[in-house]
Amino acid sequence: MNIALLGFGTVGSHFYKMAQEHSELNISAVLSRRPRPELACTVTADFDEIVRDGSIDTVVEVIGGVEPAYSYITAAMRAGKHVVTANKQLMCAHYEDLLSLAKECGVRLRCTAAAGGGIPWLTSLARVEKMDEIDAVEGILNGTTNFMLSAMTANGADYGAVLREAQALGYAEADPTADVEGLDARRKLVLSANLAFGVSVQEADIPCVGISHITAADIDKAKEWGYTFKLIARAERAQRAGAVAAFVCPTLFPVSAPEAHTDGTGNLVSLYARRIGKQSFSGAGAGGFPTASNVLADCFAVMAGCESYYTDKAAPCAVDNSTAASRWLFRRNGQYEFAECSAEEAFARCDADLQSDPCALLARVADTDQKEE
Amino acid sequence: MNIALLGFGTVGSHFYKMAQEHSELNISAVLSRRPRPELACTVTADFDEIVRDGSIDTVVEVIGGVEPAYSYITAAMRAGKHVVTANKQLMCAHYEDLLSLAKECGVRLRCTAAAGGGIPWLTSLARVEKMDEIDAVEGILNGTTNFMLSAMTANGADYGAVLREAQALGYAEADPTADVEGLDARRKLVLSANLAFGVSVQEADIPCVGISHITAADIDKAKEWGYTFKLIARAERAQRAGAVAAFVCPTLFPVSAPEAHTDGTGNLVSLYARRIGKQSFSGAGAGGFPTASNVLADCFAVMAGCESYYTDKAAPCAVDNSTAASRWLFRRNGQYEFAECSAEEAFARCDADLQSDPCALLARVADTDQKEE
């Protein structure tokens, strides 16, 4: 397999190192804006050079962001090259597009590293979807916020302090919005729900509450009640045919739940299927080697002749949270208040500005009966 | 794919049902001692009929036990048929044999359902082994004993009572030896260690202590110390090159460990790899549909043209527990006693008859520093 690697950041450089150990993988070109004399292969800033190189059969994209990644991988597919990407933002933004282009061009498209870091999550979902009916998927899919909530829970620190700590450790970016407001988790949820239910949901249709409004006092109060805060992305079949319920929000778990014990930057994600029951997967949700390992596994799958994408099914699908009932915790004028309602109602009660009283949606209360099945 | 299904018990009948939903799978014959007029395909008690049928390309073996399963699947491979089996006993007893026969005959051999029920455990191990160095594998791999220990922990019942309950519920067999003495978990450990380390270890070389000597008083005492008993199978790289450490024994977990919250017949199994870190997998460890789902997934893998076996590596390998140091709990003349020593020493201190004092090995104390990595 002759690979062109687009991007040489954390994931790219770790993938490069791992790929070097496999003689069947040959990285023949790296797309990089700056010269990299340390690399033995062609280094170019000109993507056209890569597209024109007929000896390159597979493009590995780890640049991130929608453009220029979208232009690159569509050009690569049109040139008959397989694509492996770790780019969740791109996969969410152009899901149906990219799947049909891969099919049309007769090439393979994989994105296992886009959700769950090094966990074989998307592949496991695709595997179960082929033989069972998946009712729900949910989990801790963002390492940054899990690190922050774990630190707040462990030592009583406030949000601002743990954010600075996460930034100092390289777990959070200078602009932490995508992580702390749940947008990163939501993108991973889109890909998970799409595979689990054979649909294509729109990122913007999924209500999303992050963790930036959670205070040390909230964490303390939850502890008093025997709960631990986790940021959870969840999707389930809606009662309305052809729709799914999906949302991202802080969630309260009792200490007996495995989610409550998933600390640091770890991810833990579960599927609930009719026949197989619940299956959970946990491990490093980010980091150079874990993420690169899923990129590498995708390359092996492409080499082994996997299908065009994980699934053929990508029917456009509405998000309908009107029947996803739960118990919810609100904070209104500084007072805590539990209510039973649908996710649709819960998010509707929540102001656009979550920092502001009178009505902040604090958390969903996890349905632990389901967990203990 | 034209399949002959050998055995029509719980796993066989559930596999039959699932396979019917996939038009690319055709079960054309079932080997059964008794007539099954409800089945549309050929039902025969004569295996030779199946071997001679050139239209059958794949044999699915879910009879269990070493013979006649061994004769059947070796004859099938020699006749050029792929083999999917759920038979851990057979795979352990003839590991090197079966791998080299599959290679020699140019056929595919899969046994994912042999360990972890419906969990994609062996496939995940094989996947990580290709790109990282696995240092250890460990987990709850026997649903029967996990059910029993969970029940003892939850309600203070004694061993005999929960065994009768497990038997009444169909979780334990009339002769529960293979489960309660850890032999079933040990076979799953052999297959796990073989894939993780690219070796072939002998079942009989692995020391094994089950749960039949654990009393309600032991469980109570462990609770007092903040521990939960779980039956764990563990293998790790030994310091001596070319050897692995491996053992099966009750293990004490603090309540913060996910193992402590794996209840009922669930399985939870983890791998520790140098680059990827810890990855854990949990779900139903037994049951018709979960186990059949791994059989079905193996059929899909065979159809997709997977390799001969998960790995090419099966170097005969010694078990050396002399450097696997831990903290251990003994019960001597009714007194509890902790000691730091190697697994080799711990098992040596343990009498052959575990029911008898003066020195019963009760449990290993889990290394939770490793768990919290």
Side-chain angles (χ1 to χ4, degrees), chain A residues 106-180:
Chain A
V107 298
R108 296 163 200 140
L109 170 65
R110 308 276 292 182
C111 61
T112 312
I119 302 170
W121 166 239
L122 294 183
T123 50
S124 296
L125 269 180
R127 178 182 169 281
V128 172
E129 193 276 332
K130 280 195 176 56
M131 50 193 177
D132 201 352
E133 192 154 358
I134 298 175
D135 284 322
V137 292
E138 82 166 16
I140 299 169
L141 279 165
N142 179 270
T144 307
T145 48
N146 201 59
F147 170 84
M148 291 173 63
L149 289 174
S150 300
M152 288 172 80
T153 304
N155 57 32
D158 213 334
Y159 176 83
V162 297
L163 175 57
R164 283 188 299 275
E165 190 189 346
Q167 284 169 326
L169 289 165
Y171 297 154
E173 296 178 48
D175 175 359
T177 311
D179 289 319
V180 300

Side-chain angles (χ1 to χ4, degrees), chain B residues 334-347:
Chain B
Q335 300 297 308
Y336 298 102
E337 190 176 293
F338 285 94
E340 302 270 349
C341 65
S342 72
E344 184 176 75
E345 287 169 68
F347 284 95

Side-chain angles (χ1 to χ4, degrees), chain A residues 342-357:
Chain A
S342 72
E344 185 177 73
E345 286 169 67
F347 284 95
R349 280 179 64 174
C350 171
D351 284 342
D353 177 4
L354 294 161
Q355 303 292 349
S356 78
D357 281 309

